[in-house]
Amino acid sequence: MSDATMNIAPPAPSASDCLKFYGLWIVAAAALLILPKIFSSGGSLTTFSLIGISIIFSLSYNILLGQTGMLSFGHAVYYGLGGFLAIHAINIIAKNKFAIPLPLVPLIGGAAGLIFAMLLGWVSTKRSGTAFAMISLGLAELVASSALILRTFFGGEAGVSANRTKVFRLFDWSFGPQIQIYYLVAGWTLIAVIAMYALTRTPLGRMCNAVRDNPERVQFVGYDPHVIRYIAFCFSGFFAGIAGALAAINFEIANSAYLGAVQSGTVLFATYIGGVGFFIGPIVGAIFVTLLSLGLSDLTQVWQLYFGLIFIAVVMFAPGGLTGLLMMHWPLIKAGTIGRVLPGYLIAFIPTLAMLVGFILSVEVIVFHMVHAGGDSHIKAFGIPFDAENRAVWAIAAVLLFAGALVARKTWKMIAARWDDALTEARAKGVAA
């Protein structure tokens, strides 16, 4: 390339682009401030706090999976260690009356996640792909088993508890009421999301994408993929530690569950279901998975089964996640051809719903006969009572499942044809898919 070509600066963003960019964050901050005014119950505030923690955790995991292409089965290690260090920090601060307010404690959790990521990451990131996944799984099991052995630090099965109200007060806030914890979590969520988004816009973020897509070419341009993976791993551990510290502050306890495989699996589910190809994907996934886990547990005893089935369905039929499904429609919306597809969705809704009802009814009946055989057959699932021993229930489930699947299959073929027509028309109008 000539010197003249290399010295050409990228075009500066326009005033409207800057207004949209900063306006988006201002609207997000305003929404976080207004949200507890609309939903003021204790349960709602707790749910919002859990969603905020899950968003930070999922976005930190997306630095590995979505940005750098590293599938980790042990990301809960840095989440959990950040939580334990935060709990111990709260106890030390309260005992020695240090002038350190509670809003700064998540930084201690972040520092813990960063330090352990630095210690464990150099070996872990030497390889990518399956090798990295297996190493992360081994380290996760090692740390999780240590939590039950090193009782002095981890507290055994009971864990370590703390009283967050004993910490130095800031603006006379005791952080006892849930509304104060909500604003603490919301503030850190906004800061962490902005920081992780900014990271994706840096040269490091671009090189992480390059390592994900083609590590050999990264070596050709003079960068070491191992070093880039390691730096991304450290950033991921830092933000995971912040999420773990916020969880410890919210619950005032840290136990071995913070380090377990369930925690690592949950963040994987949230990130993938939301969509790893988009920055907003883990945010959508964290909201969806948190609400789903809280809602399904009240509707059915086998909510974990549905949780896994939803993940399998997303992997098979929507590998781009929920965000990918939504973004597929954006070209049609821009071209004004979305109207060709929407009627098909309405037509397919009824048979698809019938198929799902039949499937859920079949699952509930089968689970009853496998787990609760001989007990009271009058059960309740998703708010609907029915008799699991009644053969009519079996017949209804079978008819809804198979007939609904047959009709739904035909309607979705019709939608596919309409989709192709709408996309072709959008391309003819100059809108890229």
Side-chain angles (χ1 to χ4, degrees):
M1 300 176 87
S2 65
D3 293 338
T5 304
M6 295 182 66
N7 289 331
I8 295 176
S14 63
S16 61
D17 292 337
C18 292
L19 183 61
K20 290 179 181 178
F21 177 77
Y22 292 109
L24 178 64
W25 297 115
I26 294 173
V27 170
L32 292 176
L33 289 172
I34 296 173
L35 206 58
K37 305 296 182 182
I38 302 174
F39 305 96
S40 58
S41 66
S44 298
L45 295 175
T46 301
T47 301
F48 294 148
S49 298
L50 294 177
I51 289 175
I53 295 168
S54 182
I55 286 174
I56 300 175
F57 193 26
S58 299
L59 282 174
S60 73
Y61 185 79
N62 196 52
I63 296 176
L64 295 180
L65 181 59
Q67 296 294 320
T68 321
M70 294 188 290
L71 175 63
S72 174
F73 291 130
H75 200 52
V77 168
Y78 313 98
Y79 174 90
L81 291 175
F84 274 102
L85 263 294
I87 282 292
H88 284 296
I90 291 174
N91 288 329
I92 293 172
I93 292 170
K95 181 179 180 181
N96 296 279
K97 300 187 182 301
F98 292 139
I100 301 176
L102 192 66
L104 295 181
V105 171
L107 285 176
I108 299 175
L114 174 61
I115 291 171
F116 282 102
M118 292 172 64
L119 294 175
L120 303 177
W122 186 256
V123 175
S124 302
T125 56
K126 280 184 175 292
R127 301 285 299 276
S128 60
T130 305
F132 173 79
M134 293 299 101
I135 292 172
S136 67
L137 179 60
L139 289 174
E141 292 301 317
L142 176 65
V143 175
S145 60
S146 299
L148 299 176
I149 299 173
L150 306 176
R151 295 178 176 271
T152 303
F153 181 79
F154 293 105
E157 295 181 356
V160 182
S161 59
N163 188 347
R164 65 193 181 215
T165 62
K166 300 296 183 180
V167 182
F168 177 77
R169 293 193 177 189
L170 182 67
F171 304 122
D172 202 32
W173 277 29
S174 66
F175 291 99
Q178 188 62 38
I179 182 65
Q180 296 179 5
I181 293 298
Y182 163 79
Y183 281 121
L184 173 63
V185 173
W188 270 107
T189 300
L190 186 63
I191 293 171
V193 170
I194 293 174
M196 282 185 273
Y197 179 78
L199 180 63
T200 65
R201 315 303 294 179
T202 61
L204 173 62
R206 301 303 189 189
M207 291 309 301
C208 287
N209 297 155
V211 168
R212 175 196 64 195
D213 298 333
N214 197 331
E216 290 80 9
R217 182 164 291 184
V218 171
Q219 288 180 307
F220 291 153
V221 298
Y223 290 92
D224 187 352
H226 176 211
V227 174
I228 294 173
R229 286 195 294 263
Y230 176 65
I231 296 174
F233 191 87
C234 292
F235 274 109
S236 178
F238 172 73
F239 288 108
I242 290 177
L246 289 172
I249 291 172
N250 183 56
F251 294 110
E252 295 184 289
I253 190 172
N255 52 37
S256 58
Y258 281 42
L259 302 161
V262 174
Q263 198 71 49
S264 295
T266 301
V267 71
L268 170 60
F269 288 175
T271 306
Y272 196 90
I273 289 175
V276 295
F278 307 90
F279 179 80
I280 198 176
I283 299 176
V284 174
I287 297 172
F288 177 79
V289 169
T290 303
L291 294 178
L292 190 68
S293 59
L294 294 176
L296 279 180
S297 60
D298 295 332
L299 297 176
T300 176
Q301 295 181 355
V302 290
W303 63 272
Q304 297 97 332
L305 175 62
Y306 293 105
F307 201 82
L309 292 173
I310 291 172
F311 180 72
I312 293 173
V314 170
V315 172
M316 292 180 62
F317 303 109
L322 299 178
T323 308
L325 287 176
L326 296 175
M327 295 303 294
M328 284 173 56
H329 296 78
W330 182 242
L332 305 186
I333 295 174
K334 289 180 65 176
T337 60
I338 190 67
R340 289 179 173 270
V341 182
L342 292 179
Y345 287 154
L346 296 176
I347 295 173
F349 175 75
I350 295 177
T352 303
L353 179 62
M355 178 186 66
L356 291 176
V357 171
F359 177 78
I360 292 172
L361 194 59
S362 301
V363 168
E364 295 293 336
V365 171
I366 292 172
V367 168
F368 169 79
H369 284 277
M370 292 180 63
V371 179
H372 305 289
D376 185 8
S377 61
H378 293 83
I379 61 178
K380 188 176 183 180
F382 294 90
I384 302 175
F386 59 91
D387 186 1
E389 296 284 0
N390 192 338
R391 294 186 178 182
V393 175
W394 284 88
I396 294 172
V399 170
L400 289 175
L401 178 60
F402 292 107
L406 181 62
V407 178
R409 182 179 177 85
K410 294 182 178 180
T411 56
W412 282 104
K413 286 183 177 180
M414 175 196 65
I415 291 175
R418 292 189 177 187
W419 180 272
D420 291 338
D421 294 340
L423 193 57
T424 301
E425 185 177 345
R427 287 172 177 169
K429 293 181 178 181
V431 178

